Amino acid sequence: MRTTALLVRLLLELALFAGAGYAGWTLSDGGWRILFVILAPATVIAIWGTFLSPKARVTIPPSARVTLEALLFGGVSYLLWQAGAPTIGTALAVVWVLHRVVLALTAGAPSVLETGGTPR
């Protein structure tokens, strides 16, 4: 079960990055479009890589991790709503919440995708 939850996590991360890019494209126009379609996902990827990835350069407490994830997923979900994709925005947020619940319930369970360290 935990392995499946971790695979869903990967898909959620990819959806987060894609959603940021889609919102950047849809909510801007003209020459700004190219800039926002690159900068929006790049910003999310930089934040994720710095604070939330398994090999994050900066270690933050678990409560701060969940809060930062909530801000990222909530922010991109809101932007998707603004971009005219409310169903996708809602789905992204709901799946993320369910995913966090499953991760909490399976904490400490073995997974072939985690090798040592603390489960995130």
Side-chain angles (χ1 to χ4, degrees), residues 3-4 6 15 18 24 27 29-30 33 45 48 59 64 66 68-69 71 87 109 119-120:
T3 300
T4 302
L6 293 172
L27 296 174
D29 58 0
R33 259 193 175 159
I45 289 168
W48 194 275
T59 304
V66 173
L68 184 54
E69 277 186 42
L71 289 171
T87 305
R120 296 179 184 234

Side-chain angles (χ1 to χ4, degrees), residues 64-108:
R65 289 178 55 83
V66 173
T67 301
L68 184 54
E69 277 186 42
L71 289 171
L72 287 175
F73 278 97
V76 170
S77 294
Y78 174 76
L79 290 175
L80 286 169
W81 266 78
Q82 295 299 309
T87 305
I88 295 171
T90 301
L92 182 66
V94 168
V95 172
W96 176 77
V97 168
L98 293 173
H99 165 282
R100 290 305 304 181
V101 169
V102 170
L103 280 183
L105 292 174
T106 61

Side-chain angles (χ1 to χ4, degrees), residues 3-92:
T3 300
T4 302
L6 293 172
L7 290 172
V8 169
R9 181 173 185 79
L10 171 65
L11 296 176
L12 276 169
E13 292 171 23
L14 295 174
L16 181 71
F17 307 150
Y22 176 80
W25 177 265
T26 306
L27 296 174
S28 58
D29 58 0
W32 291 105
R33 259 193 175 159
I34 300 298
L35 182 65
F36 283 121
V37 82
I38 293 169
L39 285 182
T43 302
V44 174
I45 289 168
I47 292 168
W48 194 275
T50 303
F51 299 104
L52 301 172
S53 75
K55 295 182 180 181
R57 287 182 243 143
V58 178
T59 304
I60 59 177
S63 60
R65 289 178 55 83
V66 173
T67 301
L68 184 54
E69 277 186 42
L71 289 171
L72 287 175
F73 278 97
V76 170
S77 294
Y78 174 76
L79 290 175
L80 286 169
W81 266 78
Q82 295 299 309
T87 305
I88 295 171
T90 301
L92 182 66

